[in-house]
Amino acid sequence: MMPPMLSCRRYLWLAPLTLPLACGGPAPTGSAAPTGSPQGPTANGSRICPASDAPAPPLQTLPTPAGHSFKLKLALGVARSAVLDELARRVPSVLVPEQRRSLGIAGRATFEVTRGSFALSAQPKALILSLPVSVPISVCKPFAGSCLEYGQCKPELAVTFRVPMELGAGGKAPRAQSSVSATRRCVIAGLDLTEQLLDEARPQVYKVTAEVDATLAELGRKLGAGWLAAQQPRPLGPDSCLQMAPESLGIAPLRLDAGELTTQLEFSGQATLKRCPGATDAAPAARPLPALSTTTETNSDSELWLTRELDWQRLSQLLSGALVGHQVEQVTIHSLVATGALVNGQPRVVLRLAAQGESCGDVWLSARLVTDTIAGKISLAEVTPLASPDFDVLPWKQTLESTPPLALPELTALLALDRRTLTAQIGSMLAPEFQVMMSLAEPTLSEATLGPDGLRFALHTQGPLRAKVLAFPATLTKQ
């Protein structure tokens, strides 16, 4: 059987994509040989053809593959009794100890302010806290060194706070709302003290409202800082970093059902595993925190896709290490360049193999890339020429298809991420006031997806994600 002779005139259609083939004699002035290819006679007298401007075989560009987005759905729940108990623990039952206040010609009032039990309700976008306040008052008239009591009453006030569960762009929180009204008035000897009492109470209520606003603003700043921190590279192994690119943050309407206050946070975006940046590498541009959107609470699992990309230059290096120097019949593979293209409508790896030996020239072949999703290795299958050649393709096909699967360090790092590691990484993105409870499935690796820039691998896992409130912000429950 004749070896795959690549005589110059018969194989001009096999011109390379980036380093076209020219045959015969010395290279024309200004032309260059293929990368790494010697010009002129070799040790056995054969010759590598220098480059020329011969047209490359027509190749259809691969479409850009669709990206995989992660979507973390964090179910948050806290018992209403726990919130009320925490409020009761922090806010004393006697709000204002007994005090005396002059009423002018009407005499002197003695009073104290006590609270009743907190009540909690929920609107879709706000928490509603209400509190009954009692103000027992006695009024006396100074006389002969003493004060003669001539009336008393026990007015009651209703204090209400509306705490919004919304955030604008950049973590800007809307203001809380408050109100105070009289549910029982105080009239003594025809003197209505209710309005004076309300005038005394309003500044105190507004002060608490300002503290709530300060807490919401601080929570917004923390959320914004956490959003930016989530975009910083997180080391996951030797020279491998997790890079998050969050895109949206949403919250489901608050619900109060069966004594439990619940909502769901939804965090989505892109996650990739890549080489950790060096000290001189420019940091990727961080995306600012968007406005908190309203989502619909669902029982579906959180889903995490973690991708790893391998450009065509890197794949060329890996395949060159396995194939360059290998002899096919009487021809040695001198260099190799891998890229991607659509071949008969299917994404394929396209190989340009520079031949050296009894013949010279470039061989163009296509192959299907096979991914061993367990071992993290790749191999070539279904090797075919990109045109109908005069030579026997079978030896080339056997050589490429019999090459042992190539281990990819990039895939090894990806496969090293088990559910425990991923759970810890997700938990580290939450504030310490929350305890994460997660049941992720063991991650699985998908087949490689081919695109214009290279290969993309994706690690996938899913499972329910819940968080338990361990601590309440202190300023939310200040007196």
Side-chain angles (χ1 to χ4, degrees):
M1 180 177 62
M2 290 183 63
M5 301 294 288
L6 304 181
S7 62
C8 300
R9 294 185 179 180
R10 293 171 58 197
Y11 290 96
L12 284 176
W13 61 271
L14 290 173
L17 180 63
T18 56
L19 300 172
L21 171 66
C23 295
T29 303
S31 63
T35 303
S37 301
Q39 296 190 67
T42 62
N44 62 0
S46 60
R47 181 183 297 272
I48 284 291
C49 294
S52 75
D53 294 327
L59 297 174
Q60 187 176 354
T61 303
L62 285 167
T64 300
H68 292 295
S69 295
F70 68 80
K71 186 171 288 188
L72 302 179
K73 299 179 179 182
L74 178 63
L76 288 171
V78 60
R80 176 168 59 178
S81 60
V83 178
L84 297 178
D85 289 347
E86 184 69 13
L87 289 168
R89 185 181 70 84
R90 296 190 181 187
V91 180
S93 58
V94 178
L95 300 177
V96 179
E98 184 176 293
Q99 293 188 11
R100 294 179 178 180
R101 188 70 53 84
S102 174
L103 300 177
I105 194 172
R108 186 175 68 208
T110 302
F111 68 94
E112 71 174 3
V113 181
T114 60
R115 66 163 179 83
S117 299
F118 285 94
L120 175 67
S121 60
Q123 295 178 351
K125 295 185 179 182
L127 279 177
I128 308 299
L129 288 170
S130 56
L131 177 67
V133 176
S134 179
V135 190
I137 300 175
S138 64
V139 180
C140 65
K141 187 76 172 178
F143 180 75
S146 63
C147 196
L148 301 178
E149 183 179 308
Y150 65 90
Q152 58 181 337
C153 65
K154 192 177 181 180
E156 291 185 355
L157 307 178
V159 181
T160 302
F161 298 95
R162 184 183 186 274
V163 183
M165 295 290 105
E166 302 174 81
L167 283 177
K172 185 176 181 180
R175 292 185 177 277
Q177 299 173 350
S178 62
S179 65
V180 56
S181 60
T183 58
R184 181 187 294 171
R185 302 184 72 83
C186 176
V187 180
I188 299 176
L191 180 64
D192 192 339
L193 301 177
T194 307
E195 290 305 318
Q196 184 177 350
L197 183 62
L198 289 173
D199 289 342
E200 294 279 349
R202 286 189 183 102
Q204 301 302 317
V205 173
Y206 295 155
K207 180 181 178 181
V208 175
T209 306
E211 291 173 345
V212 173
D213 286 338
T215 297
L216 292 176
E218 178 62 21
L219 290 176
R221 285 191 291 270
K222 285 186 176 180
L223 188 57
W227 179 270
L228 296 178
Q231 300 178 59
Q232 297 301 312
R234 295 167 174 263
L236 290 181
D239 201 32
S240 293
C241 280
L242 172 63
Q243 181 71 63
M244 306 284 284
E247 297 170 352
S248 65
L249 184 65
I251 186 170
L254 292 174
R255 295 193 312 163
L256 189 57
D257 187 24
E260 186 177 24
L261 183 66
T262 62
T263 186
Q264 186 180 74
L265 290 177
E266 189 172 295
F267 178 51
S268 62
Q270 306 283 331
T272 57
L273 190 68
K274 55 179 60 178
R275 181 182 62 83
C276 293
T280 59
D281 292 338
R287 301 182 182 183
L289 178 66
L292 194 63
S293 61
T294 301
T295 60
T296 302
E297 185 173 357
T298 64
N299 293 323
S300 59
D301 289 343
S302 293
E303 194 168 18
L304 179 63
W305 289 92
L306 182 58
T307 61
R308 183 74 192 241
E309 296 183 350
L310 199 73
D311 61 30
W312 291 114
Q313 182 179 7
R314 173 64 173 152
L315 182 62
S316 298
Q317 292 173 349
L318 292 168
L319 291 174
S320 294
L323 293 170
V324 168
H326 197 92
Q327 189 169 8
V328 182
E329 297 287 322
Q330 301 300 316
V331 176
T332 300
I333 299 174
H334 178 74
S335 65
L336 178 151
V337 174
T339 186
L342 284 177
V343 178
N344 297 325
Q346 298 298 317
R348 291 290 186 262
V349 175
V350 174
L351 301 173
R352 176 185 67 82
L353 305 174
Q356 174 185 354
E358 291 187 357
S359 308
C360 65
D362 285 359
V363 179
W364 283 75
L365 303 170
S366 72
R368 180 172 64 86
L369 190 74
V370 179
T371 307
D372 185 335
T373 58
I374 304 299
K377 298 180 179 181
I378 60 170
S379 57
L380 300 175
E382 301 174 13
V383 176
T384 56
L386 286 178
S388 301
D390 299 3
F391 62 89
D392 187 1
V393 176
L394 184 59
W396 296 86
K397 177 181 176 68
Q398 291 174 338
T399 296
L400 269 63
E401 293 183 353
S402 63
T403 301
L406 298 176
L408 302 183
E410 292 84 353
L411 286 190
T412 302
L414 198 60
L415 288 171
L417 301 178
D418 57 16
R419 60 183 177 182
R420 180 177 299 180
T421 302
L422 294 175
T423 298
Q425 286 296 323
I426 294 173
S428 68
M429 292 189 291
L430 293 176
E433 290 85 2
F434 298 98
Q435 177 186 7
V436 179
M437 294 166 285
M438 197 178 310
S439 299
L440 291 178
E442 280 296 344
T444 56
L445 183 67
S446 66
E447 288 276 349
T449 303
L450 277 62
D453 299 323
L455 315 179
R456 179 183 295 171
F457 301 91
L459 195 70
H460 175 258
T461 185
Q462 64 184 57
L465 176 60
R466 291 183 59 84
K468 178 182 178 182
V469 178
L470 297 179
F472 296 93
T475 50
L476 276 177
T477 53
K478 282 184 178 180
Q479 179 182 342

